[in-house]
Structures are given as structure tokens and as C-alpha cells.
Amino acid sequence: MPRVVVHVMPKPEILDPQGKAVAAALPRLGFEGIASVRQGKRFELEVEGEVTEQVLATLREAAETLLSNPVIEDVVAIEVEDAAHGKAQA
Amino acid sequence: MPRVVVHVMPKPEILDPQGKAVAAALPRLGFEGIASVRQGKRFELEVEGEVTEQVLATLREAAETLLSNPVIEDVVAIEVEDAAHGKAQA
């Protein structure tokens, strides 16, 4: 079954308290040299049937309406992963 | 500044209520044909200086201890993104 991976990140101008918390914790745990951290989401969607251009357009719409909040988040990438064909940017 | 992207997903055997909620909402909003959804995390880390093998080993350790909970989550990918060199799997 083909898998579509949707990557969502907070918009650059939006404060990211989770990322800030991770960035602050890293040096305390001995991990130095990280200037900043931002935390977003990764969705893996198992698609029934083939991922056609039309399916992809629908998924892009779902990504921008349901999987992300367009006021504060960007869909930074949508990838199609296929066991047979590997990974492709969409 | 090079960026390292860490991808974290709930382990396959772990229940994922967020993903289940999204999967249930999709058909209600008119998006059909999605068999299942799983929701994970995506971290973007801006690294000071070069991403050497040693830096990457440290980041891998941070990913597996701080960025993910190894009891319920897997670090599924660590990618190095460089403005000059594009994307590479690490």
C-alpha cells in the first residue's frame, strides 16, 4: 500500500515553545552546538490504491486544511513513498 | 547553517490516538481512500558549524534520548540538509 508522508512545521514567524524547550534542554544534557530547534509534525497516510495526481491534489488539500492549521503552520513537504519505487517529492 | 531533520514516529505496535482521530475525520470532511494515518514528530535542528560524523553521532544519541521516547517511539530518519548540498540521508 503506498504511503504519503506529510510534513508540517510552525511558520517561521510563529513562536515555537516546544522547540524552544528542546533547544534549552539539549545543552543541559550535554548536547552542545545546536543553535535552534523547531518542532513540527509528520503524518504517514496509507493510501488505498494508486497515488494519482488527483489523489495527490486531494491529499494536498487535506494537508492544508485538516493536518495543518494554515494560520500558524506550513505544509513544508508531501512525499510519496512506495515499496517498489522508493521516495519521491510531490 | 546546516540543518538536521529528525523524524520520530510512534512504534507500529503502539496505539496512536491522534492518528486515529485524523483518520476518522478525513472521510467526514470528504477525503476518501485513506486506509490509516499515523502522526509523529519532525524536528529541525540548526547546527553550529559543520555536521561531521561525530556531530551526527551526538545528534543521533540526542534523537534517541531527548527527542523521542524509546519506549513508544522510533527515530525513523535523520537527514542532513545543507543549503549548498541539498538533502542527504544519515
Side-chain angles (χ1 to χ4, degrees), chain A residues 1-5 44-51 55 59 79-86, chain B residues 32-37:
Chain A
M1 199 174 278
R3 170 183 294 170
V4 174
V5 185
E44 292 184 354
L45 293 83
E46 306 284 334
V47 178
E48 287 164 0
E50 222 184 315
V51 182
V55 169
L59 286 179
E79 287 166 347
V80 182
E81 279 178 13
D82 196 323
H85 302 94
Chain B
E32 307 279 352
I34 313 294
S36 76
V37 179

Side-chain angles (χ1 to χ4, degrees), chain A residues 3-87:
Chain A
R3 170 183 294 170
V4 174
V5 185
V6 177
H7 302 263
V8 174
M9 291 301 292
K11 281 184 194 287
E13 66 271 24
I14 296 286
L15 208 70
D16 172 17
Q18 288 181 301
K20 286 238 180 305
V22 171
L26 281 165
R28 283 204 303 269
L29 294 168
F31 302 110
E32 306 280 353
I34 313 295
S36 77
V37 179
R38 291 186 76 77
Q39 181 175 341
K41 292 180 232 166
R42 175 192 160 102
F43 295 92
E44 292 184 354
L45 293 83
E46 306 284 334
V47 178
E48 287 164 0
E50 222 184 315
V51 182
T52 58
E53 267 310 307
Q54 205 195 324
V55 169
L56 215 49
T58 308
L59 286 179
R60 206 169 286 129
E61 203 195 321
E64 275 159 18
T65 52
L66 178 66
L67 303 183
S68 69
N69 176 348
V71 177
I72 56 167
E73 291 170 326
D74 285 324
V75 177
V76 293
I78 298 181
E79 287 166 347
V80 182
E81 279 178 13
D82 196 323
H85 302 94
K87 210 159 152 180

Side-chain angles (χ1 to χ4, degrees), chain B residues 7 15 28 30-32 35-37 43-44 48 50 68 73-74 77 87:
Chain B
H7 302 263
L15 206 71
R28 283 203 305 269
F31 302 111
E32 307 279 352
S36 76
V37 179
F43 295 92
E44 292 184 354
E48 286 163 0
E50 222 183 316
S68 70
E73 292 171 325
D74 284 326
K87 210 159 153 180

Side-chain angles (χ1 to χ4, degrees), chain B residues 1-2 4 9 11-12 21 27 30 34-35 40 43 46 50-51 53-54 61 64 72 76 79-80 84:
Chain B
M1 203 176 275
V4 174
M9 291 301 293
K11 281 183 194 287
I34 313 294
F43 295 92
E46 305 285 334
E50 222 183 316
V51 182
E53 267 310 308
Q54 203 196 324
E61 204 195 321
E64 275 158 20
I72 57 166
V76 293
E79 286 166 348
V80 182

Side-chain angles (χ1 to χ4, degrees), chain B residues 60-84:
Chain B
R60 205 170 286 127
E61 204 195 321
E64 275 158 20
T65 52
L66 178 65
L67 303 184
S68 70
N69 177 349
V71 177
I72 57 166
E73 292 171 325
D74 284 326
V75 177
V76 293
I78 298 181
E79 286 166 348
V80 182
E81 278 178 13
D82 197 323

